[in-house]
Amino acid sequence: MAPPGSSRAAFALLGGVQVTLIFTLAAVAVPLPGIGVEFGVRREELILLSAAYGLTFAGLLLFGGRLADRYGGQRALTAGLLVFGLASAAAPLAPGYGTLLAARLSQGVGAALIAPAAMAVLRTVFPSPAAYGGAMATWGGLSVLGATAGNLLSGVISALLSWRWAFAVPLTVTVAALVLAPRVLPAATGSHSGTGGPEHPARRPRLDLPGALLATAGLASASYGLVLTDAWPWTSGRVLAPLVAGVVLLAMFVGAERRAPDPLLPPRFLLDRRRALGLAATALTAAGTATVFVLFSLHLQDERGWSALRTSAAFVPFAVALLASGRVAGRLIGRYGAPVVTGAGLAVGAVGLVLLALLGMNGTVPYAYGLLPGFVLLATGVAASFAGAAVLATDRVPAERTGLAGGVHNTAMETGPTVVFALVLGVGGDTASLAVTAALFGTAALALRLA
């Protein structure tokens, strides 16, 4: 248990690390064209570079959660920070495309260890169910905050300095976390505290290496195939080969988990109705946010001729509304319950998406009328949705499976944008994509209302 008075410092440290993980995901989004010019690489290579971090991050999260449950959140967190920090130090020094790609892949490996381990340690900081639920309500909004910060700061940094300086953020946070963690985080007290330990070796879950390999390869391959739909049609061999391979590997993973004595992802873990709804809301909310960031980053620069710096500034009201809504989401969950707040957040977000679809893509409508209202409503909705969904996804999870819950929750957050974004872009233009995303938000809000 955390010493009295230390819970806020511990949460600030772990939360700062979580924000940085998602910040790093978006760190190369805005400066990507400049990287292509500097290294002289083709569009498909830039697509792989953009997706590399997310591929290893999402693919290894389940295994990272298992490692956190087996060896303890503290150990997994430290190991992940070391890998993530070394990769973040190598990325800005990359002399060429191959080195930068390897660094981004390695960052994802470290992040896959850190994310579920941080949630496992968080369980020891807030051991009571009520305190942990309140912490998760705030935790749920950190990822979208990180994505927003990544889009904002990457444009500013690349415009004023260089894209290489964007990696100073994850490197600095990693070094600070390694130095401060022994001082502010609770000491490991055993596997059932969420930090693991030698006291209960018989209760440690097995590693399930076959399941880990199949899940990692399947998620990475399928995600890569979906990412490639940005440049090639669905019927292209470049898309179908990794997509089909990923689906086959994931089907093999499901079969293997049913036979495994200690599966990486127990099938019953996803049968809890509240948890399933929370994971679905997490995936959809992350997808909606990512869709808006990508579409409007391109629209403002390509269609309206805005600079990267001005484009980043356009998302500042989004960040402000996100922070303001996130501050009250926890109290609303305590009063009305996580399902109600999650559903209401999705409904408000759907209205914001409709406004962006009707007005935001119209270059003749001023920013104050065309984009600002939609950005504010969407940010308000996704902050509430993320907060409530995080509570639903981790509710009633045994302490010894906190790492697993963290891995599944973050997997939904990472794979949701890839899957939904690829599907909605296939319906037509940007306006249609926003409209379909709004419809998905509304459908999910109705499902939560009826649950």
Side-chain angles (χ1 to χ4, degrees):
M1 183 179 295
S6 68
S7 57
R8 288 188 178 182
F11 185 88
L13 175 63
L14 296 171
V17 170
Q18 176 69 8
V19 169
T20 303
L21 296 184
I22 310 302
F23 169 93
T24 306
L25 188 69
V28 301
V30 176
L32 202 61
I35 296 174
V37 172
E38 180 175 339
F39 290 149
V41 295
R42 300 184 301 273
R43 177 180 174 86
E44 56 265 31
E45 292 172 311
L46 288 178
I47 292 173
L48 178 57
L49 180 64
S50 177
Y53 176 78
L55 291 178
T56 48
F57 190 0
L60 287 166
L61 271 167
L62 291 178
F63 191 52
R66 174 53 57 91
L67 291 174
D69 286 337
R70 178 175 173 81
Y71 295 109
Q74 288 274 23
R75 294 177 182 176
L77 180 66
T78 300
L81 286 170
L82 288 171
V83 174
F84 186 76
L86 290 173
S88 298
L93 303 176
Y97 172 80
T99 308
L100 181 57
L101 178 63
R104 290 287 286 173
L105 290 168
S106 299
Q107 281 184 314
V109 174
L113 282 170
I114 294 170
M119 290 182 66
V121 175
L122 193 68
R123 185 65 173 265
T124 68
V125 176
F126 300 96
S128 73
Y132 182 66
M136 286 309 303
T138 303
W139 188 269
L142 296 180
S143 294
V144 70
L145 177 61
T148 305
N151 280 273
L152 288 174
L153 294 182
S154 63
V156 174
I157 292 172
S158 61
L160 299 180
L161 297 170
S162 163
W163 61 266
R164 297 177 185 270
W165 281 96
F167 292 97
V169 175
L171 180 59
T172 301
V173 172
T174 301
V175 172
L178 286 169
V179 172
L180 295 174
R183 303 180 183 181
V184 303
L185 297 183
T189 57
S191 62
H192 281 255
S193 69
T195 57
E199 293 88 341
H200 305 287
R203 298 177 185 175
R204 289 182 177 180
R206 298 178 184 179
L207 288 182
D208 186 19
L209 289 177
L213 291 173
L214 288 171
T216 300
L219 285 170
S221 181
S223 297
Y224 181 56
L226 290 170
V227 167
L228 291 180
T229 58
D230 177 68
W232 288 281
W234 285 82
T235 55
S236 169
R238 292 177 179 266
V239 172
L240 287 177
L243 195 57
V244 171
V247 171
V248 171
L249 288 168
L250 290 175
M252 294 172 62
F253 168 71
V254 173
E257 293 301 276
R258 290 179 177 176
R259 298 188 299 270
D262 197 356
L264 182 69
L265 179 59
R268 291 185 178 182
F269 188 80
L270 299 179
L271 294 181
D272 183 275
R273 185 179 181 86
R274 286 167 60 90
R275 187 173 302 133
L277 287 172
L279 292 171
T282 296
L284 185 57
T285 306
T289 306
T291 299
V292 167
F293 282 162
V294 171
L295 292 183
F296 282 98
S297 292
L298 294 174
H299 169 74
L300 293 176
Q301 293 181 79
D302 295 343
E303 302 297 328
R304 302 198 185 193
W306 288 20
S307 66
L309 187 60
R310 189 181 179 188
T311 299
S312 293
F315 289 99
V316 169
F318 186 99
V320 173
L322 184 72
L323 289 171
S325 180
R327 289 182 65 87
V328 302
R331 292 195 293 270
L332 292 175
I333 290 172
R335 182 171 182 179
Y336 299 106
V340 172
V341 174
T342 306
L346 287 167
V348 172
V351 176
L353 287 166
V354 169
L355 289 178
L356 290 173
L358 295 176
L359 302 174
M361 285 294 169
N362 188 339
T364 63
V365 180
Y367 172 86
Y369 305 105
L371 279 78
L372 184 59
F375 279 170
V376 171
L377 284 174
L378 178 62
T380 301
V382 299
S385 177
F386 263 127
V391 174
L392 291 173
T394 56
D395 190 29
R396 297 194 295 264
V397 174
E400 67 272 14
R401 285 189 171 178
T402 306
L404 170 63
V408 173
H409 174 68
N410 281 279
T411 299
M413 192 181 303
E414 295 303 314
T415 57
T418 302
V419 174
V420 176
F421 190 53
L423 293 176
V424 299
L425 285 183
V427 303
D430 294 347
T431 299
S433 298
L434 291 169
V436 171
T437 307
L440 291 174
F441 268 52
T443 302
L446 181 60
L448 281 160
R449 180 68 180 84
L450 297 176

